[in-house]
Amino acid sequence: VIIMSRAEGLLIHVPPGVKATEPVRLDLLTERDTLSRVTVLAEEGSQVVIAENSFGSADVIRDSSVEVIVGDNASVTFAAIQHRNGKGDFAAKNGRVGKNGRLRWVDATFGCEFARSSISTSLEGEGADVVTRSAFFGRGRQRFDLSVAAKHLASQTASDLTGVGAADNESKAIYHGLIRMERGTRNCDGRQREDALMLSDKAEIDA
């Protein structure tokens, strides 16, 4: 696995056929207002697991983007947890999956006064599939805006989007889910589920 830090962000490159035996860890301490970008390029037949941990106690804002490109017959798992104590966290994750490729998103949102997290995946090659598992827990007066989407652009593709969350005190959360199958595609399978638990009469969750 090749990791390169550039002015425009971090690039993680997995060459063809390489199967990483250890997860790639990204520990992101945010102490000032930050813009960050991570690009993952997994070439044909490769495999990698990436674990992102976003933390920090500074009262600041972070704006981050992640782009994952999964080649034919490649597999990527991208797991992220956000448990900062800042003002706001804006995270956008986008994936593109080639023929018979597999992409697994795991996303947990726990921190910040306001957090927005979006995950969108385009299934571009036949046999591509994506699984998204997202979780959140709101406390105090936290506000969360969460969205997941899968776009079936090729036939014989599959998506499985599942979200779980809870809200306590006066926290509020909005969860959006979308599965879109392009006209002309065949034998596609899309599944979506959201389970929510409100622990206070003043808490709100809209899905």
Side-chain angles (χ1 to χ4, degrees), residues 13-20 42-47 72-74:
H13 177 210
V14 191
V18 171
K19 300 185 185 301
E43 298 202 58
E44 183 174 1
S46 64
Q47 181 175 320
D72 296 350
N73 300 298

Side-chain angles (χ1 to χ4, degrees), residues 104-125:
R104 301 291 179 264
W105 297 107
V106 181
D107 195 70
T109 302
F110 301 128
C112 288
E113 296 174 19
F114 179 84
R116 175 175 292 154
S117 173
S118 66
I119 302 174
S120 179
T121 305
S122 296
L123 302 170
E124 300 179 351

Side-chain angles (χ1 to χ4, degrees), residues 56-161:
S57 58
D59 196 15
V60 295
I61 295 173
R62 183 183 76 124
D63 191 328
S64 66
S65 66
V66 173
E67 182 178 10
V68 178
I69 302 170
V70 183
D72 296 350
N73 300 298
S75 174
V76 175
T77 297
F78 195 102
I81 180 171
Q82 186 272 108
H83 53 107
R84 297 175 44 240
N85 293 325
K87 289 181 180 178
D89 194 270
F90 300 84
K93 299 178 177 69
N94 294 282
R96 295 165 49 196
V97 188
K99 184 176 180 180
N100 295 320
R102 303 179 66 192
L103 178 55
R104 301 291 179 264
W105 297 107
V106 181
D107 195 70
T109 302
F110 301 128
C112 288
E113 296 174 19
F114 179 84
R116 175 175 292 154
S117 173
S118 66
I119 302 174
S120 179
T121 305
S122 296
L123 302 170
E124 300 179 351
E126 285 196 6
D129 79 85
V130 62
V131 173
T132 299
R133 297 289 182 262
S134 55
F136 67 89
F137 182 54
R139 293 167 291 181
R141 296 180 60 85
Q142 286 181 300
R143 301 290 186 265
F144 294 156
D145 184 351
L146 314 170
S147 64
V148 294
K151 303 171 186 176
H152 294 252
L153 306 181
S155 297
Q156 300 180 38
T157 50
S159 61
D160 184 353
L161 315 179

